[in-house]
Amino acid sequence: VPPRLPQLEGPPTAPPAAKTEERANLRFAGAPEITAAGGWSFKPIGRLQYDAGSVSRPDGIADPGLGFSNEVRRGRIGLEGEVPGAFGYKFELDFAGESVEITDAIITYEASDSVGLTVGQHNGFQSLEELTSSRFTSFTERAAFTDAFNFERRVGLSASFKSGPLLVQAGAFTDNIHDLDEDANDSVGIDGRVVVAPRLGDTQLHFGASAHWRDLGDLTALGMTTRYRQRPLIHSTDVRFVGPPGPPVESETHYGLEAALVHGPFHAAAEAHWLEADTLAAGLSPTLFGGYVEAGWFLTGESRGYRSGRFDRTRPSRAIEKGGIGAFQVNLRYDRLDLNSGAIRGGTQNGFMASLVWIPTDHVRFLINYARLNYDDAVLAAAGGDRSYGVDVIGARAQIDF
């Protein structure tokens, strides 16, 4: 046997290190959520709201939209998540109307624990009521001014700053994403909102103010007008008892004040909002007003959810899957909308409303509400030309979300 040659022998070769396998994790957080190392996540989101309601018929008004009506109010499906580098995304479609519409389509960036940026189609910072998700409102529809003043999602860039009880939000916006392919839809606007929300013991307080300006662009040059109008609480009817003929609006400036508190099972909220519309007509700049006062009580002891400057999900303390009855809440609201200003006579609506909400489990809600709506200077004349009358409205909703 030939001798070994030490100079040709090296140290024993170590076996290759086992490769670390990166695995995604699946957990349930209201819906299946997939997370992976490095900051990736993916989660489906959606909601389904089915509404039914009825509006009484004043004598002499034969509009077919009065009486019973029903609809799929919202049928949304989408996804949201995070990507490495403190970025995030959300994309959601609504199938409830005659065509599919994009609701949210955003890219987010968390610059720090206090500062966040958002680009894409999203809500501006109009009011507490508008920014509270439809999944968590205390009535089937929001306060009248939010629709009458044409609050909607628009494409833009916004930033938020949060430090303790202070929240500051601001953004610049163009048009709704569905209008961007129209050359005339070249509006630009700026929104700003400041919220101070201290927690004093068991009481959550909320004080806010917002300011808004919007230039409507080429719409007036093309003879387009702006309509300020509102349905009678339920969305499934197309009847509007208030709403002036659309003036040729060049720009809008509006301001809002908001206050709320949550203490144990009790909550209260109030808002006031003024909108001044500058029109092409000399000296015609109507100032319109909307606002509400609301109070609610959880009969089963829960507290209304609140987070980041808006109302949030309430989780029943005794959900039905745990042998309980879920959460029951009653709410009362006075809602005022005034579309009269100088030569603009769009009418006034005074709403006296009550609702009952049942939350059997975290992601299911049933609502029923009643409203007595009293009108003056209504745009629809009743028998004998009467424009001051009242209607009774009943609305109901079945909802599930994930």
Side-chain angles (χ1 to χ4, degrees):
V1 178
R4 292 186 177 182
L5 302 177
Q7 69 273 18
L8 298 179
E9 292 183 356
T13 302
K19 184 179 180 181
T20 301
E21 184 178 355
E22 293 185 359
R23 294 185 178 181
N25 298 312
L26 177 64
R27 70 186 186 103
F28 192 86
E33 182 178 27
I34 300 172
T35 60
W40 287 96
S41 71
F42 175 91
K43 177 183 176 181
I45 55 174
R47 75 190 70 170
L48 178 62
Q49 297 173 338
Y50 179 76
D51 287 6
S54 180
V55 183
S56 66
R57 193 182 305 272
D59 291 340
I61 299 180
D63 194 297
L66 299 175
F68 176 79
S69 58
N70 65 112
E71 66 174 346
V72 176
R73 179 66 176 94
R74 296 176 180 90
R76 296 183 183 174
I77 190 73
L79 51 91
E80 65 181 9
E82 299 177 351
V83 298
F87 292 95
Y89 61 91
K90 181 180 180 182
F91 185 77
E92 192 173 33
L93 299 173
D94 194 318
F95 295 83
E98 297 180 355
S99 60
V100 178
E101 294 188 353
I102 298 173
T103 51
D104 288 311
I106 58 173
I107 299 171
T108 62
Y109 176 63
E110 295 298 323
S112 69
D113 292 339
S114 300
V115 178
L117 303 175
T118 300
V119 61
Q121 160 119 332
H122 59 294
N123 257 324
F125 308 110
Q126 301 96 340
S127 78
L128 170 64
E129 180 82 343
E130 180 68 16
L131 293 177
T132 295
S133 170
S134 66
R135 298 169 296 164
F136 313 133
T137 54
S138 49
F139 290 81
T140 55
E141 294 299 319
R142 295 183 174 95
F145 74 89
T146 63
D147 279 345
F149 296 167
N150 301 315
F151 294 169
E152 65 174 351
R153 291 169 169 83
R154 294 189 171 96
V155 175
L157 172 65
S158 68
S160 64
F161 171 80
K162 190 175 190 309
S163 177
L166 176 65
L167 173 65
V168 180
Q169 301 165 303
F173 297 87
T174 57
D175 284 297
N176 183 278
I177 198 169
H178 304 286
D179 300 327
L180 293 179
D181 59 349
E182 299 287 342
D183 291 340
N185 289 304
D186 58 349
S187 73
V188 293
I190 299 173
D191 283 353
R193 179 174 180 248
V194 177
V195 171
V196 179
R199 188 169 184 88
L200 304 179
D202 295 332
T203 302
Q204 175 67 63
L205 298 176
H206 170 106
F207 303 99
S210 62
H212 321 268
W213 173 82
R214 184 184 179 210
D215 186 317
L216 275 66
D218 291 336
L219 290 179
T220 51
L222 297 175
M224 304 291 288
T225 59
T226 301
R227 295 183 296 184
Y228 304 107
R229 55 183 187 165
Q230 176 61 319
R231 295 176 172 90
L233 185 59
I234 62 174
H235 183 269
S236 52
T237 179
D238 285 332
V239 175
R240 275 90 166 181
F241 293 106
V242 289
V249 177
E250 289 187 294
S251 64
E252 298 171 337
T253 304
H254 43 121
Y255 309 92
L257 297 174
E258 42 189 271
L261 71 85
V262 179
H263 179 80
F266 175 77
H267 87 272
E271 292 194 65
H273 207 97
W274 297 265
L275 183 151
E276 180 179 336
D278 292 322
T279 74
L280 289 178
L284 185 60
S285 297
T287 298
L288 312 178
F289 173 79
Y292 69 91
V293 178
E294 171 185 309
W297 185 274
F298 272 99
L299 303 176
T300 44
E302 290 83 0
S303 291
R304 188 170 187 184
Y306 177 89
R307 182 169 64 93
S308 300
R310 57 189 176 183
F311 289 119
D312 199 57
R313 187 183 305 278
T314 297
R315 302 182 185 275
S317 57
R318 295 178 296 160
I320 59 171
E321 72 269 22
K322 298 178 181 179
I325 60 172
F328 284 88
Q329 181 193 32
V330 293
N331 301 284
L332 298 174
R333 170 179 284 187
Y334 168 68
D335 190 356
R336 166 79 173 176
L337 180 64
D338 187 350
L339 302 182
N340 286 339
S341 180
I344 297 293
R345 310 305 291 175
T348 63
Q349 173 182 290
N350 288 286
F352 302 88
M353 307 174 181
S355 75
L356 173 65
V357 181
W358 178 39
I359 310 173
T361 189
D362 288 0
H363 295 267
V364 178
R365 283 165 58 100
F366 298 93
L367 296 83
I368 185 167
N369 45 227
Y370 165 79
R372 174 65 179 181
L373 304 179
N374 293 328
Y375 295 99
D376 289 304
D377 297 320
V379 296
L380 296 180
D386 185 14
R387 296 184 183 274
S388 296
Y389 49 79
V391 300
D392 297 299
V393 183
I394 296 176
R397 168 172 297 165
Q399 168 186 305
I400 190 168
D401 77 279
F402 58 88

